[in-house]
Amino acid sequence: GLELSVNNHAADFSLSTSAGPPVSLSCLVQNSSQAEELLWYRGDGKVDLKDGNKVNVSNICISPVTESDNGVTFTCKLARDKSVQVSVILDVQFPPQLTGEESLQIEEDKDVTLTCNAKSNPQAQTAWYKNKNTLILQQNRYQLYQTSEVFQLSIKTVQKSDNGTYTCVVKSSLGEGRKDFHLIVGDKKPVFPKEAVIAAAVVVTLTVLFGIVARKDKIFKVW
């Protein structure tokens, strides 16, 4: 019976490609005795086609292919019966994209979190370094958090010894990216106890009031 094929695939499929070079998709009507109009969709959005690119054969080109196209579904459908369709999912492979540096100033005894945001396909692995040496993760002081796109290192109760350059290195089979964090730990600011300040204010206020009460007779005689 009537069916469609995309790049010679009569069923849904995944197409692996790299970011950059264009990708062409060709949809062809099979076993039709009449002219059939074709439709293309990118996700849920309809693709605009020129008049000469709609009947029996329809071609689209994704150029250039970017990281944002990864996981996107392109579907060719028969106009008069949209249940007749073939979909292709783009599997766009690209290395980690992570560069730059960041400076952080933190007060001693505070907590700090260093965050790397990096996308990649295939998924990457991360490693942390301090002053170009592999960071030894001390229990209860360092915490790691990782998703497919976020890599974090948290340092609890930072000390002066934590001063230095921390490097996040994200590696995949296609390459690697890195980001430097220059951590500067400053002196702990003196903290004035709130209770003592309040108590002192109360004492001063009461002293003034008692002084006024003690002198009220003299004040009234003057008036």
Side-chain angles (χ1 to χ4, degrees), residues 69-95:
D69 294 316
N70 184 46
V72 174
T73 300
F74 288 86
T75 304
C76 179
K77 298 183 180 184
L78 197 66
R80 67 180 177 88
D81 184 358
K82 294 183 177 61
S83 65
V84 180
Q85 63 180 44
V86 176
S87 295
V88 51
I89 300 175
L90 291 189
D91 177 25
V92 182
Q93 301 197 346
F94 54 94

Side-chain angles (χ1 to χ4, degrees), residues 109-120:
D109 288 342
K110 298 288 187 180
D111 299 340
V112 66
T113 297
L114 314 180
T115 301
C116 289
N117 295 300
K119 293 183 179 181
S120 65

Side-chain angles (χ1 to χ4, degrees), residues 195-207:
E195 294 80 2
V197 173
I198 295 174
V202 171
V203 170
V204 171
T205 302
L206 291 176
T207 301

Side-chain angles (χ1 to χ4, degrees), residues 95-144:
Q97 296 181 337
L98 180 66
T99 58
E101 57 184 331
E102 183 178 340
S103 294
L104 300 97
Q105 293 189 344
I106 188 72
E107 184 182 332
E108 195 174 11
D109 288 342
K110 298 288 187 180
D111 299 340
V112 66
T113 297
L114 314 180
T115 301
C116 289
N117 295 300
K119 293 183 179 181
S120 65
N121 183 33
Q123 188 171 344
Q125 299 295 321
T126 184
W128 286 92
Y129 296 84
K130 180 184 178 184
N131 299 329
K132 298 183 179 180
N133 296 315
T134 301
L135 181 63
I136 299 175
L137 300 177
Q138 300 177 25
Q139 192 174 8
N140 299 327
R141 288 212 63 223
Y142 296 99
Q143 290 184 354
L144 295 179

